[in-house]
C-alpha cells in the first residue's frame, strides 16, 4: 500500500512513513481488518468517522487512507490552539486518533490543573491521561469525557513513534 499512502500523505508532519507506522499498528496492513469496537480497514476508522471524512466503503484502501488522513489533519487543526509546537502536536494527534479528541483535551486540562505542561506529551499530558482511569480524576470537574483506559493510548503513541523512527532509519 506504499504507493497509496504516498499519494494521500501530503503534509510533511504526517508523511507516508508515519502513516505506514499507524497502518501497521491499526491493521497490520489488512484492508479487511475489523476491531471489536467496529472500526474498519487499514486505518481502523469507525463507520461514522469514515462517512464524515468522505468514505462510504472503509474496506476500500484508498477511501480508508484518505478519510483517515483527513481525520488526522482535522485533529491537528483542532489541537493547534492548545499545542502550538507542530512536532510536539503530532504526539497529541496520534493519541487523539486512538482515544478521541475529548479524552486528550481532558488530559490537557488535568495536566494544567496539576501544574504540568499541557503543551508537552511526555511526562505531562501523557501522565495526566493515565489518571483518567481513576474515579478521583475522571470525576474531576475539568474532565468532560469521563473514564478512559489510557494505558492503551500511551502504548499506542509510543509504538507508532518508535516504529516510525525505525522505519526512517531503515530507509536511510
Amino acid at each position: 500500500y506504499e504507493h497509496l499512502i504516498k499519494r494521500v500523505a501530503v503534509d510533511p508532519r504526517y508523511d507516508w512513513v508515519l502513516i505506514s507506522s499507524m497502518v501497521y499498528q491499526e491493521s497490520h496492513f489488512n484492508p479487511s481488518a475489523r476491531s471489536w469496537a467496529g472500526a474498519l480497514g487499514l486505518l481502523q476508522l469507525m463507520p461514522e468517522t469514515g462517512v464524515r471524512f468522505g468514505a462510504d466503503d472503509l474496506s476500500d484502501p484508498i477511501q480508508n487512507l484518505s478519510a483517515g488522513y483527513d481525520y488526522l489533519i482535522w485533529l491537528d487543526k483542532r489541537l493547534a490552539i492548545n499545542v502550538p509546537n507542530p512536532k510536539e502536536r503530532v504526539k497529541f494527534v496520534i493519541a487523539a486518533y486512538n482515544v478521541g479528541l475529548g479524552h486528550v483535551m481532558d488530559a490537557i486540562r488535568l495536566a494544567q490543573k496539576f501544574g504540568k505542561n499541557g503543551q508537552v506529551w511526555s511526562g505531562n499530558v501523557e501522565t495526566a491521561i493515565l489518571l483518567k482511569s481513576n474515579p478521583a480524576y475522571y470525576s474531576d470537574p475539568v474532565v468532560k469525557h469521563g473514564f478512559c483506559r489510557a494505558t492503551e493510548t500511551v502504548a499506542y503513541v509510543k509504538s507508532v513513534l518508535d516504529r516510525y523512527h525505525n522505519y526512517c532509519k531503515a530507509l536511510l
Side-chain angles (χ1 to χ4, degrees):
Y1 299 101
E2 180 181 329
H3 67 288
L4 296 178
I5 296 169
K6 284 180 175 179
R7 192 166 94 194
V8 169
V10 294
D11 185 315
R13 289 171 294 159
Y14 302 97
D15 67 4
W16 74 273
V17 182
L18 180 62
I19 302 309
S20 296
S21 178
M22 290 181 69
V23 169
Y24 179 84
Q25 188 70 29
E26 291 288 347
S27 68
H28 294 263
F29 294 95
N30 177 359
S32 301
R34 181 182 185 95
S35 78
W36 62 269
L40 302 166
L42 291 171
L43 278 169
Q44 289 292 282
L45 293 168
M46 294 301 287
E48 308 79 41
T49 305
V51 168
R52 181 175 180 188
F53 291 95
D56 56 12
D57 180 3
L58 290 173
S59 65
D60 177 273
I62 194 65
Q63 285 190 44
N64 190 285
L65 291 167
S66 294
Y69 194 77
D70 289 348
Y71 180 44
L72 277 174
I73 300 305
W74 182 86
L75 289 168
D76 183 84
K77 289 178 183 170
R78 298 305 166 285
L79 284 160
I81 296 164
N82 298 90
V83 188
N85 180 315
K87 288 187 181 231
E88 189 63 30
R89 189 166 59 246
V90 167
K91 299 169 195 167
F92 288 74
V93 169
I94 293 169
Y97 189 90
N98 177 259
V99 76
L101 181 59
H103 287 301
V104 172
M105 296 304 296
D106 282 350
I108 289 170
R109 289 188 294 273
L110 273 175
Q112 292 168 333
K113 179 175 181 172
F114 294 105
K116 300 276 187 182
N117 187 337
Q119 297 179 0
V120 174
W121 178 256
S122 298
N124 289 275
V125 176
E126 172 189 50
T127 301
I129 203 167
L130 290 168
L131 297 174
K132 287 187 43 115
S133 64
N134 181 327
Y137 295 97
Y138 69 71
S139 301
D140 190 286
V142 302
V143 173
K144 309 292 182 217
H145 295 89
F147 173 84
C148 176
R149 194 178 65 225
T151 54
E152 177 184 310
T153 300
V154 169
Y156 179 84
V157 172
K158 181 177 178 3
S159 293
V160 166
L161 291 175
D162 285 351
R163 184 176 306 101
Y164 171 66
H165 295 298
N166 287 335
Y167 283 177
C168 288
K169 286 179 193 172
L171 291 168
L172 291 177

